[in-house]
C-alpha cells in the first residue's frame, strides 16, 4: 500500500519507474531476474556497486528500470504480518489486542493477553505505520522518476488523485462485499492510505516547488557575495566545465541548494511532529481514563469521557467530519483509521525519501542513518514511558500488577505495561515504537545482498511488489482457509471467547496450529502474487493494473 523503489514502485500501486543510478568505484555486471517476480523476457544486464541494494530490469516498452530491494522486502514482511493479524480474527484464536481489548484512546486495560497473542499483536502493530512510511517514500521516488520523464506537476497531481480514487473505490467495494451491503465505507486502513497518499503527493509537490524557489533566491544572494569577493580573481577560468558528466555547481549554487534542502527537510520534520501530536491535542478525554466508584457494587469501574455527556446520535450525524481525525462508527460507515491521524508516518516517509535521494550513497553511511534513526525513535519511546508524555493511555492500566502498586509509574509495572501503546488513533508512544522497529528492520533488509534475497527471500519480494493485490486477495484466502480449518480441526467456542469473523462457531487457539494455518495461507498467496507480478510488470508504467 505504499510506494517504494528509489525512484518509484510502491505498495498500493508499486508501479513507478524507480530509476536509480548506482555510483561506486567498482561496477560488476550480472544477469538477474528482478526479484524472481518477472517473466524471462525481463532478464537484463544489471549493474550493482557491491551486490547490495538495487536490481535492474526491463519493463514494458524496453525501458531499463531499477528497484531498491530493502523497501520491497520490508513491505513483503509487513504484508505477511498483516495477514497474521487478520487470521487471529478468522480463527478466533485470541482477543484482538495487547490487553484483551482494542488499543483505543482512553480504554481501560484490566488483563493482558497471553504471551503469544501479545507478541503477535505487538509485531502486527508495525504494519500500518510501515505502509504509511513506505507510501511517503514512494511518493518521492515516483515523483522524481516521473519528473525525469518530463511529467509536469499538474500531471503528477492528477496521477496522485487517480490513485486515491482507485483505492477509495476498492475500499467501498471491499466493504460492500465483506458486510453483505450493510456497510458502504469499511475503512480498515485502505481509505487512510488513499487519502494520505494524495496528501503526501501534494506535500511533496509543494515542498519541491518551495525548495526550487528558495534555491533560486539564495543563489542570487550568494552569487552576489561571491562576485564581490572574487571580483579581481580569475580563478573561475581555471575551474573545469564538467564534473562527473554534469556542469560543475558553483559554490553559491551548492550552498544555496544545501540550505534550501535543509530548510525544507526541517519543515517536514516539524510537520511530522505536529501531525502526530495533534492526536494527543484532539483527544476527547486527553488520553486519560477517568476512574469512578460504582454505587451499586462499591467497586471501581473505569470509563472514558467519550461515554460521559456525549450524544451518540450527534456523533453519528457528523461522522463525515469526525472520520478525518477520530475512529467512527456511523450510519453504514466504520472507520478505525482516520487519515489525518496517520499522516505523520507518510510525512516522515517523504523526509526519508528526500534525504536518501539527496545524500551520498555510501553503503555504511546508509546503515548509520537507519540505525541512528532507530535509536532516536527508541529514545523517544522510552521517554514517553518515563516522562508520561505523548500517551493516550494515562491511568488506563488497571491490571493486577498495576493495582498492587498504584503509586508506581504504570508503564514500569511489567514488560507488558512498558510496551503497551494506543493504536486507535496512534499516540506518540505507538509512533516512536513502530518507527524505531521499522527503521532497524529496514537497516537490515537494505543490506541483504540482492542475489541472496532473490534466491531465498523471493516470497517476500513477490508479496512486496504486489501489495494492493495481496491486500484484496488475502481476505478471501484467510476467510476461506480459516473457515475450513475451524470446521475440520477447531473446537466449539463459547460466549466468553473472543469475537471473530462470522465464518464458524468453532475456534483454533493452539499457537502451533495458528502458525500452521498462517503458513498455509502464505503458501497459497505466493503463487497468486507471483503470477500477478508477472502480469502487472508487463503493462506500461501508467497502466491501472500496476496500481495493484
Amino acid at each position: 500500500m505504499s510506494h517504494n523503489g528509489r525512484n518509484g514502485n510502491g505498495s498500493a500501486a508499486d508501479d513507478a519507474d524507480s530509476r536509480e543510478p548506482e555510483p561506486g568505484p567498482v561496477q560488476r555486471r550480472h544477469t538477474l531476474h528482478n526479484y524472481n517476480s518477472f517473466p524471462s523476457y525481463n532478464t537484463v544486464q544489471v549493474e550493482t556497486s557491491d551486490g547490495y541494494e538495487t536490481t535492474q530490469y526491463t519493463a514494458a516498452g524496453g525501458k531499463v528500470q531499477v528497484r531498491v530491494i530493502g523497501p520491497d522486502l520490508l513491505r513483503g514482511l509487513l504484508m505477511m504480518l498483516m495477514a497474521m493479524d487478520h487470521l487471529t480474527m478468522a480463527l478466533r484464536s485470541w482477543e484482538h489486542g495487547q490487553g484483551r481489548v482494542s488499543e483505543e484512546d482512553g480504554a481501560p486495560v484490566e488483563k493482558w493477553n497471553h504471551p503469544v497473542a501479545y507478541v503477535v499483536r505487538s509485531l502486527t502493530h508495525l504494519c500500518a505505520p510501515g505502509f504509511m512510511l513506505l507510501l511517503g517514500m514512494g511518493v518521492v521516488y515516483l515523483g522524481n522518476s516521473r519528473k525525469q520523464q518530463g511529467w509536469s506537476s499538474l500531471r503528477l497531481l492528477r496521477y496522485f488523485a487517480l490513485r486515491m480514487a482507485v483505492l477509495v473505490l476498492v475500499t467501498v467495494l471491499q466493504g460492500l462485499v465483506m458486510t453483505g451491503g450493510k456497510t458502504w465505507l469499511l475503512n480498515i486502513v485502505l481509505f487512510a492510505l488513499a487519502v494520505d497518499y494524495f496528501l503526501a503527493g501534494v506535500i511533496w509537490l509543494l515542498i519541491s516547488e518551495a525548495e526550487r524557489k528558495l534555491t533560486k533566491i539564495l543563489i542570487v544572494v550568494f552569487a552576489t557575495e561571491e562576485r564581490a569577493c572574487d571580483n579581481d580573481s580569475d580563478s573561475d577560468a581555471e575551474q573545469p566545465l564538467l564534473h562527473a558528466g554534469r556542469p560543475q555547481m558553483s559554490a553559491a549554487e551548492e550552498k544555496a541548494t544545501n540550505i534550501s534542502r535543509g530548510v525544507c527537510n526541517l519543515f517536514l520534520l516539524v510537520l511530522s511532529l505536529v501531525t502526530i501530536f495533534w492526536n494527543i491535542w484532539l483527544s476527547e478525554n486527553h488520553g486519560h481514563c477517568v476512574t469512578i466508584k460504582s454505587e451499586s457494587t462499591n467497586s471501581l469501574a473505569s470509563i472514558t469521557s467519550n461515554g460521559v455527556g456525549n450524544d451518540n446520535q450527534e456523533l453519528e450525524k457528523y461522522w463525515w467530519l469526525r472520520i478525518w481525525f477520530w475512529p467512527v462508527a456511523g450510519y453504514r460507515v466504520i472507520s478505525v483509521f482516520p487519515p489525518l491521524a496517520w499522516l505523520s508516518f507518510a510525512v516522515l516517509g517523504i523526509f526519508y525519501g528526500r534525504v536518501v535521494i539527496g545524500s551520498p550513497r555510501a553503503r555504511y553511511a546508509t546503515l548509520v542513518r537507519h540505525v541512528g534513526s532507530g535509536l532516536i525513535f527508541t529514545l523517544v519511546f522510552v521517554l514517553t514511558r518515563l516522562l508520561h508524555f505523548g500517551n493516550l493511555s494515562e491511568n488506563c492500566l488497571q491490571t493486577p500488577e498495576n493495582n498492587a502498586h498504584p503509586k508506581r509509574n504504570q508503564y514500569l509495572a511489567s514488560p507488558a505495561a512498558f510496551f503497551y501503546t494506543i493504536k486507535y488513533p496512534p499516540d506518540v508512544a505507538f509512533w516512536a515504537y513502530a518507527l524505531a522497529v521499522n527503521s532497524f528492520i529496514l537497516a537490515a533488509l537494505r543490506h541483504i545482498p540482492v542475489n541472496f534475497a532473490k534466491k531465498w527471500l523471493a516470497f517476500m519480494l513477490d508479496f512486496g511488489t504486489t501489495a494492493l493485490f495481496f491486500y484484496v486477495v488475502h481476505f478471501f484466502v484467510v476467510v476461506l482457509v480459516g473457515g475450513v480449518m475451524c470446521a475440520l480441526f477447531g473446537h466449539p467456542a463459547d460466549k466468553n471467547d473472543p469475537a471473530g469473523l462470522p465464518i464458524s462457531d468453532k475456534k483454533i487457539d493452539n499457537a502451533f496450529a495458528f502458525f500452521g494455518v498462517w503458513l498455509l495461507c502464505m503458501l497459497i498467496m505466493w503463487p497468486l502474487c507471483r503470477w500477478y507480478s508477472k502480469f502487472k510488470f508487463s503493462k506500461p508504467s501508467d497502466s491501472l493494473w500496476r496500481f495493484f
Side-chain angles (χ1 to χ4, degrees), residues 279-525:
N279 292 342
I280 308 298
W281 303 331
L282 295 175
S283 171
E284 294 173 311
N285 51 29
H286 309 293
H288 285 70
C289 284
V290 180
T291 304
I292 62 174
K293 203 163 193 179
S294 170
E295 295 181 359
S296 58
T297 62
N298 200 32
S299 63
L300 294 180
S302 296
I303 62 171
T304 67
S305 63
N306 286 341
V308 180
N310 285 333
D311 188 338
N312 290 331
Q313 292 183 345
E314 285 296 308
L315 295 182
E316 284 195 11
K317 180 179 178 181
Y318 294 104
W319 67 265
W320 52 275
L321 286 175
R322 296 177 53 82
I323 195 173
W324 307 107
F325 285 100
W326 296 280
V328 299
Y331 178 70
R332 295 187 179 274
V333 173
I334 297 176
S335 173
V336 294
F337 284 87
L340 295 183
W342 289 84
L343 182 60
S344 176
F345 299 98
V347 174
L348 278 176
I350 299 173
F351 170 81
Y352 174 96
R354 284 171 50 86
V355 168
V356 169
I357 287 177
S359 301
R361 293 288 310 286
R363 177 184 164 208
Y364 292 106
T366 302
L367 177 63
V368 170
R369 280 200 298 267
H370 284 85
V371 174
S373 298
L375 292 174
I376 290 172
F377 288 122
T378 299
L379 176 61
V380 173
F381 174 75
V382 172
L383 291 178
T384 64
R385 313 282 89 174
L386 299 180
L387 303 182
H388 290 273
F389 81 93
N391 300 300
L392 292 175
S393 56
E394 294 293 339
N395 303 324
C396 294
L397 303 188
Q398 300 161 18
T399 63
E401 55 265 34
N402 288 103
N403 293 334
H405 305 280
K407 295 184 179 181
R408 178 189 295 178
N409 181 333
Q410 66 169 0
Y411 300 112
L412 302 182
S414 66
F418 187 79
F419 288 102
Y420 179 75
T421 57
I422 297 298
K423 183 178 181 180
Y424 307 111
D427 61 8
V428 178
F430 177 93
W431 175 83
Y433 159 79
L435 289 172
V437 180
N438 273 300
S439 295
F440 290 133
I441 294 175
L442 190 56
L445 295 179
R446 286 186 69 105
H447 291 79
I448 292 177
V450 172
N451 288 341
F452 178 88
K454 287 163 61 65
K455 182 176 181 180
W456 300 105
L457 302 176
F459 60 96
M460 290 173 59
L461 294 168
D462 287 324
F463 295 154
T465 53
T466 56
L468 182 56
F469 175 83
F470 183 107
Y471 177 81
V472 173
V473 174
H474 94 280
F475 280 106
F476 299 98
V477 172
V478 163
V479 168
L480 178 61
V481 174
V484 171
M485 292 296 105
C486 283
L488 294 177
F489 305 108
H491 60 88
D494 58 44
K495 63 180 181 180
N496 295 322
D497 285 328
L501 300 176
I503 58 176
S504 175
D505 57 357
K506 295 183 178 181
K507 68 174 185 176
I508 294 178
D509 54 4
N510 178 275
F512 293 103
F514 169 81
F515 288 114
V517 176
W518 171 73
L519 181 60
L520 175 61
C521 291
M522 296 301 97
L523 291 175
I524 294 173
M525 288 298 303

Side-chain angles (χ1 to χ4, degrees), residues 174-184 332:
Q174 181 189 47
L176 292 173
V177 171
M178 292 182 64
T179 64
K182 296 179 180 179
T183 300
W184 295 344
R332 295 187 179 274

